[in-house]
Amino acid sequence: MPHAVPAFSRIGEENAFAVLAKAAELQRQGRDIINLGIGQPDFKTPPHIVEAAIKALRDGEHGYTAATGILPLREAVAVDLARRFGVEVSPELVMVVPGGKVTMYMAILMFGEPGVDILYPDPGFPIYRSMIEFTGARPVPIPMREENGFAFSAEETLALMTPQTRLVILNSPANPTGGVTPHAEIDRLVAGLARWPEAAILSDEIYGQMIYDGLSHRTLLAYPEIRDRLILLDGWSKTYAMTGWRLGYSVWPKTLYEAARKLAVNSYSCVNAPTQFAGLAALTGPQDAARAMVAEFDARRGLVVEGLNRLPGVSSVTPKGAFYAFPNIAATGWKAKPLAAALLDDAGVATIGGPDFGVHGEGYIRISYANSRENIAKALGRIDAFLRRRPPPG
Ligand code: PLP
């Protein structure tokens, strides 16, 4: 019997997909399920973006492209970064990839090996740890704390660094907590990183345009002193409701760009051409649909936080970004994963247990508010009834 190499016994998962499948199966059986589990906008991709892809196909744009993406799209990314942040990025350092995930996959593969440490946020996007373990590197969790608004603490992050640290993964605004790290804290973190010149930085900024309460997003690209070791992860999935198109981009230091390009050539060759034209229309066309989505998420955020704080035994800090709330459920007496499972089975509401995002996620569940206001209100009502009806097991 053929066996894959042992590394595959260490590779992990993203449980949100398993919950999505389970919710779909229950729906198929005729159950009424409200999905607050999956992290994708519930809006349609704006029509002008869809039309651009259709036009590209009609125009015969169906062949391979450069592995790093079509030049107009890489140029548009550079213009967009200049418009949003006033930073100068050469299109030569921009790489178009099939989804945000691919950048983290490449970056972790480039630095992970036995004997080195990689720091990552916990709770955090589960693929960070999964890929770190796959490479044989030691995963070093950076705790994201509720009392800190689930922001990074520069002091705590820097205290975890050692001469073995090869990569530090940052994510703000964050999944699964909605935490946003304040500018001053990022300043302190970057200042401290000067002591660790051997460590590369992967900044996952995929929720950078989903930020509330008048806050602005501070990109790590804004710090020239780390540009030679910074990998930026961004993409279209969340901002333009394009999760299924599979389109993202990275900005690489010059020294790593060739390695990333070769990984692309060795795996997927290039992102499908019509999707790249859709991405171009997204960046160069009107931004009102993207802004309207953020305004709607903001309104729902208010409903969700207010509703969660009214549930017995539940409290939620106000998330400052993304489209997730991460309520503390410890006082309900339930452990997080059994609670998420019972909410799905018994109350018909899909959520994700905090431990699916790391050991520091115990005591919390993730609620995605990428669902209609009506469904959110209904789901909160169901959770309320459930908590009053069902005592915790044991
Ligand atoms: N990074 C974070 C923090 C995410 O939450 C996600 C998706 O949920 C991704 C990256 C991956 O995005 P994509 O669907 O474009 O691969």
Side-chain angles (χ1 to χ4, degrees), residues 14 16-17 38-40 97-104 121 124-128 170-176 204-207 233-238 242-244 246-249 322-324 357 366:
E14 193 185 346
F17 283 100
I38 192 75
Q40 69 177 338
V97 288
K101 249 181 197 170
V102 177
T103 300
M104 73 184 75
F125 191 57
I127 300 305
Y128 304 144
L170 305 174
N171 173 222
S172 173
N175 179 7
D204 182 341
E205 302 186 14
I206 199 132
Y207 296 102
L233 180 163
D234 206 334
W236 287 257
S237 296
K238 316 287 174 175
M242 292 179 72
T243 50
R246 309 312 301 137
L247 184 64
Y249 68 84
F323 40 65
Y324 307 109
F357 303 97
R366 188 187 79 173

Side-chain angles (χ1 to χ4, degrees), residues 41-93:
D42 55 316
F43 304 103
K44 286 195 166 149
T45 305
H48 70 280
I49 299 176
V50 176
E51 289 306 319
I54 294 169
K55 178 172 185 309
L57 273 180
R58 292 220 166 96
D59 290 350
E61 300 286 359
H62 50 67
Y64 294 124
T65 74
T68 52
I70 57 173
L71 181 60
L73 183 54
R74 287 185 287 115
E75 286 172 343
V77 167
V79 168
D80 187 57
L81 290 169
R83 172 183 70 80
R84 284 163 56 203
F85 306 124
V87 295
E88 201 179 314
V89 171
S90 163
E92 301 294 307
L93 301 180

